[in-house]
Amino acid sequence: MVRRGVVVLAVVIGCMVMVPAPAGVAASGPVHSDFNGDGLGDLAMGLPLRDVGSVSNAGAVWVLYATPRGFTQVKAELWTQNSPGIPDSAEAEEAWGTASAPADFNGDGFADLALSSTNDLGITVIFGSPSGLRGPGAQFLYESVDQYRGLAGGNFNGDGFADLAWISLSGSLYVRLGSASGLGTSGSVWTPDSPGICDDGQWGDALASGDLNGDGFDDLAIGDRTENVEGAQEAGQIQVLYGAADGITATGNECWNQASPGIQDDPGLGDHLGWDVAAGDFNSDGFDDLAAGAAGEGKVNVIYGSAAGLTDVGNQLLVGYSAALATGDFNGDGFAELASGDPEYSGQATAQGRVLVAYGSSSGLLLDALQQWDQGSPSIPDEPENGDFFGAALAVGAFGKGTADDLAIGVPFEDSGSQLRNRDTGAVHVLYGSPSGLVANGNQFFALPKSRITTNDELGYSLNGQECLSH
């Protein structure tokens, strides 16, 4: 519920992209979706069930631009397919903004935003500028008569332009390469049946990019949560495709699951490993590492990178997960942290949700000193309620108030209004980083203002396109 005295703003939360690294230089890790080039992470959040005029569930995206003081209502934008310059138009039940990916596709120093829909057959790319996102010049990508799901940006060929990868409903992977004019027509198409691919299942919609072998080319991890492993139905696994000068390649591709040699835990019925994936350098050795959530059993496998790619050496298992993963350096010490969203967690209320944070170190994640956040944590606005789903989606960025990374947390099923009559309007919490990590001091709580609230808005359902996918 929204308490009296809580600041209520129109905001959008979104997140991080990978810095395009030149060939031969290790990627430096996640940076923020800076659409206007002011050095601060701006936020883009999908409202896929938002009506556009009389068009039901057409979908919209809110964008808020950060300031050195964090978020204010200085500049907020609502984007729909009817916005000036945007190709296509709003149609009923399209759910535009369900998935998104911020990255600098044209290499001009401003992050751009790729958006897809649940029930549309194309991807919209809106380009950044000194004034922020701009409609004129937006691109519309179309590959096949298929719906698109997960999106991820990464510099897969090391040319300094971010590329875009996305998964279709049928399980095909499409990759378009970036250029000075945006996303071009060159790229590649992959399926689990492509020559040299180790996975023979159907890829899911969880994607993450990172330089897992430190060669200067971003690599792509794909979650295959419905893969059967050693007789365990839908135990799940991860497919890793490595980057190269020509882009994504089958050379050296790997499949990882809980039956892989040395990996902790065992595959089980409905474990759904690969429900979400996230990359970050947890031990700061110059190689990105991979976290993969197994929503069906509430655990996260952490596999570390090396010059040879992912390795079982030092792999870890975190307990406390059911939907979302994100990485960022919340204390500014050079080691990435892992945030694990567990929206189905029940504490003071059923399915109130929580977020666990594991801090990085030279030996990897410190799993014996997890930080827990929920709406019952001291100085955090609001309170735990049944079915709020705190932690259903997560996003990381430098949102102001310091140099450390900050964490946005979606609460999509938060109710609001008098006697909570507005059901599932949603809310977002922002926790700011500090030398001691994430702190409650200065945290912000956002919900849509009364003039814009409608039932089932589900603000916080999608942060940087990360859908609320409960198990």
Side-chain angles (χ1 to χ4, degrees):
M1 61 179 288
V2 177
R3 288 181 176 173
R4 294 181 181 177
V6 172
V7 177
V8 180
L9 300 178
V11 305
V12 181
I13 304 301
C15 80
M16 68 181 187
V17 300
M18 298 305 300
V19 177
V25 178
S28 59
V31 296
H32 318 301
S33 48
D34 184 4
F35 302 127
N36 58 4
D38 64 357
L40 297 175
D42 307 312
L43 307 179
M45 182 180 70
L47 297 170
L49 300 183
R50 185 79 175 182
D51 295 344
V52 177
S54 61
V55 183
S56 65
N57 296 338
V61 176
W62 278 97
V63 176
L64 187 78
Y65 294 88
T67 77
R69 301 180 304 278
F71 294 114
T72 69
Q73 209 170 1
V74 174
K75 185 178 181 182
E77 300 170 342
L78 177 66
W79 291 86
T80 73
Q81 288 179 300
N82 288 345
S83 296
I86 300 300
D88 207 7
S89 58
E91 298 179 34
E93 312 304 326
E94 280 193 343
W96 189 68
T98 298
S100 68
D104 188 3
F105 301 118
N106 60 3
D108 63 356
F110 305 101
D112 315 309
L113 185 64
L115 298 156
S116 70
S117 309
T118 299
N119 298 311
D120 196 8
L121 302 180
I123 293 173
T124 304
V125 180
I126 309 175
F127 291 94
S129 74
S131 59
L133 294 175
R134 51 183 173 80
Q139 289 185 294
F140 186 76
L141 309 179
Y142 173 85
E143 284 284 1
S144 67
V145 184
D146 203 350
Q147 296 160 358
Y148 304 138
R149 301 186 295 175
L151 302 172
N155 188 18
F156 304 123
N157 62 357
D159 64 355
F161 300 101
D163 313 310
L164 180 67
W166 70 89
I167 293 282
S168 71
L169 187 62
S170 63
S172 295
L173 170 70
Y174 296 89
V175 180
R176 284 278 192 99
L177 301 180
S179 71
S181 58
L183 291 169
T185 58
S186 61
S188 55
V189 182
W190 301 85
T191 73
D193 296 324
S194 294
I197 298 299
C198 60
D199 191 346
D200 60 358
Q202 180 172 336
W203 291 334
D205 53 7
L207 299 174
S209 66
D211 190 359
L212 305 174
N213 57 5
D215 63 356
F217 304 106
D218 280 339
D219 312 309
L220 185 67
I222 308 168
D224 182 1
R225 61 177 180 261
T226 61
E227 178 75 7
N228 301 330
V229 180
E230 293 193 342
Q233 298 292 307
E234 298 194 5
Q237 73 176 6
I238 307 301
Q239 167 79 59
V240 178
L241 298 174
Y242 286 91
D246 293 329
I248 292 295
T249 175
T251 301
N253 82 97
E254 301 169 335
C255 287
W256 291 86
N257 54 56
Q258 290 177 329
S260 297
I263 296 300
Q264 295 190 47
D265 209 9
D266 298 305
L269 173 66
D271 279 354
H272 290 156
L273 180 69
W275 195 267
D276 196 13
V277 285
D281 191 356
F282 304 126
N283 57 4
S284 194
D285 63 355
F287 306 103
D288 281 332
D289 314 308
L290 187 68
E297 62 172 348
K299 298 177 182 178
V300 179
N301 284 95
V302 179
I303 308 174
Y304 285 84
S306 72
L310 292 180
T311 172
D312 68 296
V313 176
N315 78 93
Q316 296 177 286
L317 189 68
L318 180 152
V319 178
Y321 164 82
S322 58
L325 296 171
T327 67
D329 187 1
F330 302 130
N331 56 9
D333 64 355
F335 300 96
E337 278 75 64
L338 176 65
S340 174
D342 189 9
E344 297 183 8
Y345 169 77
S346 298
Q348 296 173 254
T350 301
Q352 66 176 56
R354 65 176 177 176
V355 173
L356 298 178
V357 180
Y359 284 81
S361 74
S362 59
S363 59
L365 293 174
L366 302 175
L367 299 184
D368 57 350
L370 296 177
Q371 189 179 40
Q372 176 171 318
W373 295 94
D374 58 50
Q375 289 181 315
S377 297
S379 300
I380 299 300
D382 208 49
E383 59 191 28
E385 293 164 332
N386 293 337
D388 273 354
F389 266 48
F390 179 94
L394 304 173
V396 172
F399 303 138
K401 298 191 178 184
T403 58
D405 284 334
D406 313 307
L407 181 66
I409 303 170
V411 195
F413 304 131
E414 181 85 16
D415 300 329
S416 65
S418 176
Q419 299 180 344
L420 304 182
R421 291 175 180 172
N422 297 316
R423 306 293 294 180
D424 297 342
T425 54
V428 172
H429 291 263
V430 178
L431 301 176
Y432 287 91
S434 74
S436 59
L438 293 174
V439 294
N441 183 41
N443 79 91
Q444 294 181 287
F445 175 80
F446 300 116
L448 292 169
K450 291 181 180 179
S451 62
R452 295 199 179 271
I453 283 179
T454 60
T455 294
N456 296 325
D457 269 343
E458 296 180 358
L459 181 74
Y461 174 97
S462 171
L463 305 186
N464 188 32
Q466 183 187 63
E467 295 179 68
C468 168
L469 296 171
S470 62
H471 179 66

